[in-house]
Amino acid sequence: LLNGDLDVICTALNFPRNNMIIMEKFTELRNIIFARKAHPLQSDKSLHPARLLDYPWVFFANDSMGYQRVASYFAANQLQPPPISIETNTIETMVTLIASGDYLASAPSLALEFATRLGLEELKVSGAFWSIDLGIAYRRSVHVPPAVTSLISAIREQVIGD
């Protein structure tokens, strides 16, 4: 984006601010912990993070950023992160594993509707888990190209109903 190779990006806005780039937040994406409805932890309405370590975790393969965010939650509670029991490349495999056993996983809240249809629920944990701002970023310019303006408008309309 800074080099001009891209005109606009739709992404997580967790990169350093730069006066050459305009960032526009559309929404906040929360990550939550999923478990099956009958998981033993579902009855606990304010789980202490240490209890989460008693169960196997499924993570996305090669998602070091996602794992580090989960690890940060545990570190903030003076705990080691959960070991990775299984890695997968798809949300479908992840939710199938969770639905079939006592596995836990962290995934975007956007997956909640899909996961609910498969018998999963958000696990209510004590303390804040993590979230990230999503939006667009584009180069600051006196004349934003019409195609970029159109794309930004279309994204706004789809994401926030502008």
Side-chain angles (χ1 to χ4, degrees):
L1 189 62
L2 283 172
N3 292 335
D5 296 332
L6 300 171
D7 293 319
V8 62
I9 58 174
C10 187
T11 187
L13 300 176
N14 61 340
F15 51 88
R17 302 273 180 217
N18 182 306
N19 64 358
M20 294 294 297
I21 302 296
I22 296 171
M23 288 192 243
E24 187 175 335
K25 176 184 169 182
F26 286 154
T27 190
E28 179 182 63
L29 178 67
R30 291 182 319 114
N31 252 47
I32 60 178
I33 299 175
F34 289 99
R36 63 185 171 88
K37 285 182 181 178
H39 192 284
L41 294 177
Q42 287 292 8
S43 61
D44 194 335
K45 297 304 176 205
S46 184
L47 278 170
H48 186 276
R51 300 257 342 261
L52 301 170
L53 296 172
D54 294 336
Y55 296 91
W57 280 72
V58 180
F59 286 94
F60 289 115
N62 303 312
D63 183 14
S64 59
M65 184 184 303
Y67 183 79
Q68 287 306 315
R69 289 194 170 145
V70 170
S72 294
Y73 170 77
F74 284 93
N77 289 282
Q78 293 77 47
L79 296 166
Q80 291 295 312
I84 299 171
S85 297
I86 296 178
E87 288 185 309
T88 181
N89 290 317
T90 67
I91 188 75
E92 292 84 1
T93 302
M94 179 181 274
V95 297
T96 299
L97 287 166
I98 298 166
S100 66
D102 286 341
Y103 291 101
L104 301 175
S106 172
S109 56
L110 293 173
L112 187 56
E113 183 180 332
F114 171 69
T116 301
R117 283 186 267 142
L118 296 172
L120 307 184
E121 290 183 348
E122 177 180 358
L123 206 57
K124 303 296 183 193
V125 297
S126 62
F129 206 53
W130 67 272
S131 63
I132 194 162
D133 292 339
L134 297 179
I136 58 169
Y138 52 96
R139 289 176 56 90
R140 186 177 305 279
S141 173
V142 174
H143 302 288
V144 178
V148 172
T149 304
S150 295
L151 178 62
I152 292 168
S153 295
I155 293 170
R156 263 192 211 116
E157 185 176 318
Q158 286 296 311
V159 176
I160 58 177
D162 244 12

